[in-house]
Amino acid sequence: MAEKRLEDQMKFLLEIDKEKNILRQTHLSGHGRRENDAEHAWHMAIMIYLLREYANEKIDLAKTMMMALIHDIVEIDAGDTYAYDTAALATQQEREAKAAQRIFGLLPEDQREEMLALFQEFEDYETPEARFAHVLDNLQPLMLNDSNNGGDWREHQVKRSQVYKRNARTSTGSETLWAYMEGLIQGNVEKGNIQDC
């Protein structure tokens, strides 16, 4: 039984290595290549650790960091959904739910249920941990875009209204970080990187 458990855990761990191949629209700072999902998750987890003092509510740090580390594993099957692609966003939830069942289903039952619950908690956006994880999920690409003089926003002709819609609940996780983000957004509107509409 212990041998089967370890074998299942190792299958999952090898499967999630594929997350390194899922490229996002966001480029690395300094006009680097496109980042992959694993790099995004790693960056988010460190940001959660370092910026936790700005959470609106007390958070379970390990839980929030783990949420960040697993939230995009489903994109191994579902693919990356660009934040401003309305057609892809319409099917995102269904694609990702199916992927979560398959990928987390590789784990032993207790860990499968734990990971599925953690993934769903992030998706539901209702706990302090989920709200704060979402703040960093939105801040991280915004920060990279700003460091690249808005290149990805210009390429996709992103509008201020789209950025604000995506961040409609960000302040519920951190009013301080949302205020910082608003400054970055406004600066990029003024530079013409984000369309002022």
Side-chain angles (χ1 to χ4, degrees), residues 12 67 70 74 96-124:
F12 172 80
M67 237 180 237
I70 71 160
V74 294
E96 290 186 354
K98 183 178 177 184
Q101 290 299 320
R102 184 195 75 78
I103 298 166
F104 294 123
L106 298 171
L107 285 164
E109 184 177 355
D110 62 320
Q111 290 182 325
R112 175 181 66 236
E113 295 308 314
E114 180 185 353
M115 292 294 105
L116 282 169
L118 197 56
F119 172 77
Q120 193 58 51
E121 182 177 340
F122 176 82
E123 291 296 303
D124 290 343

Coordinates of all heavy atoms in Angstrom, one line a residue, residues 12 67 70 74 96-124:
F12 N 2.2 12.1 -10.0 CA 1.7 13.5 -9.9 C 2.9 14.5 -10.0 O 2.8 15.5 -10.8 CB 1.0 13.7 -8.6 CG 0.5 15.2 -8.4 CD1 -0.6 15.7 -9.0 CD2 1.3 16.0 -7.5 CE1 -1.0 17.0 -8.8 CE2 0.9 17.3 -7.3 CZ -0.2 17.8 -8.0
M67 N -1.7 27.6 -2.2 CA -2.7 28.0 -3.2 C -2.1 28.6 -4.4 O -2.4 28.3 -5.6 CB -3.6 29.1 -2.6 CG -5.1 28.7 -2.5 SD -6.0 30.1 -1.8 CE -6.8 29.1 -0.5
I70 N -0.3 25.9 -6.6 CA -1.1 24.9 -7.4 C -2.1 25.5 -8.3 O -2.7 24.8 -9.1 CB -1.8 23.9 -6.4 CG1 -2.9 24.6 -5.6 CG2 -0.7 23.2 -5.5 CD1 -3.9 23.6 -5.1
V74 N -3.7 23.3 -13.4 CA -4.8 22.9 -14.3 C -4.5 23.3 -15.7 O -5.0 22.7 -16.7 CB -6.2 23.4 -13.8 CG1 -6.5 22.7 -12.5 CG2 -6.2 24.9 -13.7
E96 N -10.9 24.1 -16.8 CA -10.1 23.9 -15.6 C -10.6 22.9 -14.6 O -9.8 22.2 -13.9 CB -9.8 25.3 -15.0 CG -8.9 26.2 -15.9 CD -8.5 27.5 -15.2 OE1 -8.9 27.8 -14.1 OE2 -7.6 28.2 -15.8
A97 N -11.9 22.9 -14.4 CA -12.5 21.9 -13.5 C -12.2 20.5 -14.0 O -11.9 19.6 -13.1 CB -14.0 22.1 -13.4
K98 N -12.3 20.2 -15.2 CA -12.1 18.9 -15.8 C -10.6 18.6 -15.6 O -10.2 17.5 -15.2 CB -12.4 18.9 -17.3 CG -12.2 17.6 -18.0 CD -12.7 17.7 -19.4 CE -12.4 16.4 -20.1 NZ -12.7 16.4 -21.6
A99 N -9.7 19.6 -15.9 CA -8.3 19.3 -15.7 C -7.9 19.1 -14.2 O -7.1 18.2 -14.0 CB -7.5 20.6 -16.2
A100 N -8.6 19.8 -13.3 CA -8.3 19.5 -11.9 C -8.6 18.1 -11.5 O -7.8 17.5 -10.8 CB -9.1 20.5 -11.0
Q101 N -9.7 17.6 -12.0 CA -10.1 16.2 -11.7 C -9.1 15.2 -12.2 O -8.7 14.3 -11.5 CB -11.5 15.9 -12.3 CG -12.6 16.6 -11.6 CD -12.8 16.2 -10.1 OE1 -12.6 15.1 -9.7 NE2 -13.1 17.3 -9.3
R102 N -8.6 15.4 -13.4 CA -7.6 14.5 -13.9 C -6.2 14.6 -13.2 O -5.7 13.6 -12.8 CB -7.4 14.7 -15.4 CG -6.4 13.6 -16.0 CD -5.9 14.0 -17.4 NE -4.9 15.0 -17.4 CZ -3.6 14.8 -17.1 NH1 -3.1 13.6 -16.7 NH2 -2.7 15.8 -17.2
I103 N -5.7 15.8 -13.1 CA -4.4 16.0 -12.6 C -4.3 15.7 -11.1 O -3.4 14.9 -10.7 CB -3.8 17.4 -13.0 CG1 -3.8 17.6 -14.5 CG2 -2.5 17.6 -12.3 CD1 -3.6 19.0 -14.9
F104 N -5.2 16.3 -10.3 CA -5.1 16.0 -8.9 C -5.6 14.6 -8.6 O -5.3 14.0 -7.6 CB -6.0 17.0 -8.1 CG -5.4 18.4 -8.2 CD1 -6.2 19.5 -8.7 CD2 -4.1 18.7 -7.8 CE1 -5.7 20.7 -8.7 CE2 -3.6 20.0 -7.9 CZ -4.4 21.0 -8.3
G105 N -6.3 14.0 -9.6 CA -6.8 12.6 -9.5 C -5.6 11.6 -9.5 O -5.8 10.4 -9.2
L106 N -4.4 12.0 -9.9 CA -3.3 11.1 -9.9 C -2.8 10.9 -8.5 O -2.1 9.9 -8.3 CB -2.1 11.8 -10.7 CG -2.4 12.0 -12.2 CD1 -1.3 12.8 -12.8 CD2 -2.5 10.7 -12.9
L107 N -3.1 11.7 -7.6 CA -2.7 11.6 -6.2 C -3.4 10.6 -5.4 O -4.6 10.2 -5.7 CB -2.8 13.0 -5.5 CG -1.8 14.0 -5.8 CD1 -2.3 15.4 -5.4 CD2 -0.4 13.7 -5.2
P108 N -2.9 10.1 -4.3 CA -3.7 9.3 -3.3 C -4.9 10.0 -2.9 O -4.9 11.3 -2.9 CB -2.7 9.0 -2.2 CG -1.3 9.2 -2.7 CD -1.5 10.3 -3.8
E109 N -6.0 9.3 -2.6 CA -7.3 9.9 -2.3 C -7.2 11.1 -1.3 O -7.8 12.2 -1.6 CB -8.3 8.9 -1.8 CG -9.7 9.5 -1.7 CD -10.7 8.4 -1.3 OE1 -10.4 7.2 -1.2 OE2 -11.8 8.8 -1.0
D110 N -6.5 11.0 -0.2 CA -6.5 12.0 0.8 C -5.9 13.3 0.3 O -6.4 14.4 0.5 CB -5.9 11.6 2.1 CG -4.4 11.2 1.9 OD1 -4.0 10.6 0.9 OD2 -3.6 11.6 2.8
Q111 N -4.8 13.1 -0.5 CA -4.1 14.3 -1.0 C -4.9 14.9 -2.2 O -4.9 16.1 -2.4 CB -2.7 13.9 -1.4 CG -1.8 13.7 -0.2 CD -0.4 13.4 -0.5 OE1 -0.1 12.8 -1.5 NE2 0.6 13.9 0.3
R112 N -5.5 14.0 -3.0 CA -6.3 14.5 -4.1 C -7.4 15.4 -3.6 O -7.6 16.5 -4.1 CB -7.0 13.3 -4.8 CG -8.0 13.7 -5.9 CD -8.6 12.5 -6.6 NE -9.4 11.8 -5.8 CZ -9.3 10.5 -5.5 NH1 -8.4 9.8 -6.1 NH2 -10.1 9.9 -4.7
E113 N -8.1 14.9 -2.5 CA -9.2 15.7 -1.9 C -8.7 17.1 -1.3 O -9.3 18.1 -1.5 CB -10.0 14.9 -0.9 CG -10.7 13.7 -1.5 CD -11.6 14.1 -2.6 OE1 -12.4 15.1 -2.5 OE2 -11.6 13.4 -3.7
E114 N -7.5 17.0 -0.7 CA -6.9 18.2 -0.1 C -6.6 19.2 -1.2 O -6.9 20.4 -1.1 CB -5.6 17.8 0.6 CG -4.9 19.0 1.3 CD -3.6 18.5 1.9 OE1 -3.3 17.3 2.0 OE2 -2.9 19.4 2.4
M115 N -5.9 18.8 -2.3 CA -5.5 19.7 -3.4 C -6.8 20.2 -4.2 O -6.8 21.4 -4.5 CB -4.6 18.9 -4.4 CG -3.2 18.6 -3.8 SD -2.2 20.1 -3.4 CE -2.4 20.0 -1.6
L116 N -7.8 19.3 -4.4 CA -9.0 19.8 -5.1 C -9.7 20.9 -4.2 O -10.2 21.9 -4.7 CB -9.9 18.6 -5.3 CG -9.6 17.8 -6.5 CD1 -10.4 16.5 -6.5 CD2 -9.7 18.5 -7.8
A117 N -9.7 20.7 -2.9 CA -10.4 21.6 -2.0 C -9.6 23.0 -2.0 O -10.2 24.0 -2.0 CB -10.5 21.1 -0.6
L118 N -8.3 22.9 -2.0 CA -7.5 24.1 -2.0 C -7.6 24.8 -3.3 O -7.8 26.1 -3.4 CB -6.0 23.7 -1.8 CG -5.0 24.8 -1.4 CD1 -5.5 25.5 -0.1 CD2 -3.6 24.2 -1.2
F119 N -7.6 24.1 -4.4 CA -7.9 24.7 -5.8 C -9.2 25.4 -5.8 O -9.4 26.5 -6.3 CB -7.7 23.7 -6.9 CG -8.1 24.2 -8.2 CD1 -7.3 25.0 -8.9 CD2 -9.4 23.8 -8.8 CE1 -7.6 25.5 -10.2 CE2 -9.7 24.3 -10.0 CZ -8.9 25.1 -10.7
Q120 N -10.3 24.7 -5.3 CA -11.6 25.2 -5.3 C -11.7 26.4 -4.4 O -12.4 27.4 -4.7 CB -12.6 24.2 -5.0 CG -14.1 24.6 -5.3 CD -14.3 24.9 -6.7 OE1 -13.9 24.1 -7.6 NE2 -14.8 26.1 -7.0
E121 N -11.0 26.4 -3.3 CA -11.1 27.6 -2.4 C -10.5 28.8 -3.1 O -11.1 29.9 -3.0 CB -10.3 27.3 -1.1 CG -10.3 28.4 -0.1 CD -9.5 28.0 1.2 OE1 -9.3 26.8 1.5 OE2 -9.2 29.0 1.9
F122 N -9.4 28.6 -3.8 CA -8.9 29.7 -4.6 C -9.9 30.3 -5.6 O -10.1 31.4 -5.7 CB -7.6 29.3 -5.3 CG -7.0 30.4 -6.2 CD1 -6.2 31.4 -5.7 CD2 -7.2 30.4 -7.6 CE1 -5.6 32.4 -6.5 CE2 -6.7 31.3 -8.4 CZ -5.9 32.3 -7.9
E123 N -10.5 29.3 -6.3 CA -11.5 29.7 -7.3 C -12.7 30.4 -6.7 O -13.2 31.3 -7.4 CB -11.9 28.5 -8.1 CG -10.9 27.8 -9.0 CD -10.4 28.7 -10.1 OE1 -11.3 29.2 -10.9 OE2 -9.2 29.0 -10.2
D124 N -13.1 30.0 -5.6 CA -14.3 30.6 -4.9 C -14.1 32.0 -4.4 O -15.1 32.7 -4.3 CB -14.8 29.7 -3.8 CG -15.4 28.4 -4.3 OD1 -15.7 28.3 -5.5 OD2 -15.6 27.4 -3.5

